Amino acid sequence: MKAATVRHILDTIGDMFPDAHCELNHSNAFELTIAVLLSAQCTDETVNKVTKDLFEKYKAPEDYVAVPLEELEQDIRRIGLYRNKAKHIRNLCMLLMEQYGGEIPREHDELVKLPGVGRKTANVVVSNAFDVPAIAVDTHVERVSKRLGLAGWKDSVLEVEKKLMKQVPREEWTLTHHRLIFFGRYHCKAQNPKCQVCPLLDVCREGKKRMKTSQIRKDK
């Protein structure tokens, strides 16, 4: 894709969502890591409802390890896959205490060694907690990137990330990540995207196809 087109996309999304940010409530790197871990296959809204009480009860890794696993499971049972996530949290906290002095490591390579922490989670943590430029590819970022042609339809999540990193200026990685999420969450939704009022329709292959199909139906 031409650099001018990429700039057009970034500026347009920036105008639409200038205040895009991480919507997971947290006050430090440890809470953010727990929140992102809980957010897998779950909405940020639900996670925030659960962590409101969770972060009052558990302040440090030692607190999560001190209670029976069943108690932690009950504390997060409104979250999807809560049993697996409770185990990940416990194991993560134990590893933090054993190898990292109870602190979340700042390095991406160390973060992905933690139980339940994949590349996406690590990218969210380093960018939001430690101000290290990164692009975390979640379902919204992947969908929007492919629809707009910033990535290929068959690209893996890692390939999407690499292509975005290549096309987007490094100092804009984190902000672009947030703006793509907001664009996908509130405008270019998986179902019923707002193609008819989208300022990026001119560069969106998916939107053009949807609008064409819609027009054909009207003409019948």
Side-chain angles (χ1 to χ4, degrees), residues 166-180:
K166 189 175 181 179
Q167 296 175 89
V168 178
R170 189 174 189 273
E171 64 273 14
E172 296 179 39
W173 285 357
T174 300
L175 191 54
T176 296
H177 155 71
H178 292 313
R179 287 174 173 173
L180 287 173

Side-chain angles (χ1 to χ4, degrees), residues 1-218:
M1 180 177 286
K2 293 181 179 178
T5 304
V6 175
R7 189 71 262 166
H8 169 59
I9 291 172
L10 298 181
D11 289 344
T12 300
I13 294 178
D15 289 340
M16 293 175 71
F17 301 102
D19 300 318
H21 60 280
C22 177
E23 292 192 297
L24 290 170
N25 296 333
H26 64 281
S27 59
N28 54 54
F30 177 60
E31 288 185 355
L32 177 60
T33 304
I34 298 297
V36 180
L37 191 155
L38 291 173
S39 72
Q41 298 181 39
C42 185
T43 66
D44 287 1
E45 183 180 6
T46 299
V47 173
N48 286 336
K49 289 178 181 177
V50 171
T51 56
K52 183 179 179 181
D53 294 326
L54 193 73
F55 292 161
E56 282 293 318
K57 180 176 179 179
Y58 304 94
K59 302 290 188 182
E62 293 84 355
D63 300 328
Y64 286 94
V65 176
V67 301
L69 181 61
E70 292 75 20
E71 184 174 340
L72 178 56
E73 288 178 351
Q74 289 306 308
D75 289 334
I76 65 169
R77 70 174 294 121
R78 283 184 288 172
I79 299 281
L81 306 174
Y82 71 93
R83 285 195 175 91
N84 277 338
K85 291 177 181 178
K87 289 177 184 175
H88 284 320
I89 291 172
R90 288 258 308 191
N91 292 334
L92 180 149
C93 289
M94 289 172 68
L95 192 60
L96 287 180
M97 292 163 60
E98 292 168 3
Q99 296 187 22
Y100 299 97
E103 300 289 333
I104 293 292
R106 303 174 74 94
E107 298 78 19
H108 190 281
D109 289 347
E110 294 300 316
L111 278 165
V112 293
K113 294 178 183 178
L114 301 176
V117 176
R119 186 175 182 85
K120 185 200 81 172
T121 299
N123 280 340
V124 172
V125 173
V126 297
S127 60
N128 289 282
F130 303 127
D131 294 323
V132 177
I135 297 179
V137 180
D138 70 350
T139 181
H140 299 297
V141 174
E142 180 180 9
R143 180 177 69 254
V144 169
S145 297
K146 291 181 176 181
R147 284 180 173 176
L148 292 175
L150 292 167
W153 291 120
K154 296 183 179 180
D155 284 349
S156 66
V157 171
L158 181 57
E159 287 170 332
V160 172
E161 180 186 335
K162 287 181 176 179
K163 287 186 177 180
L164 288 174
M165 289 169 66
K166 189 175 181 179
Q167 296 175 89
V168 178
R170 189 174 189 273
E171 64 273 14
E172 296 179 39
W173 285 357
T174 300
L175 191 54
T176 296
H177 155 71
H178 292 313
R179 287 174 173 173
L180 287 173
I181 287 177
F182 269 54
F183 186 74
R185 184 175 287 162
Y186 302 113
H187 181 81
C188 188
K189 301 177 182 181
Q191 303 296 327
N192 301 315
K194 300 176 182 178
C195 300
Q196 66 277 12
V197 295
C198 185
L200 287 175
L201 182 60
D202 60 323
V203 295
C204 180
R205 50 188 179 177
E206 172 80 4
K208 289 176 182 176
K209 184 168 142 190
R210 283 175 175 270
M211 294 302 289
K212 186 176 180 180
T213 302
S214 176
Q215 187 58 48
I216 290 173
R217 285 175 183 158
K218 288 180 182 177

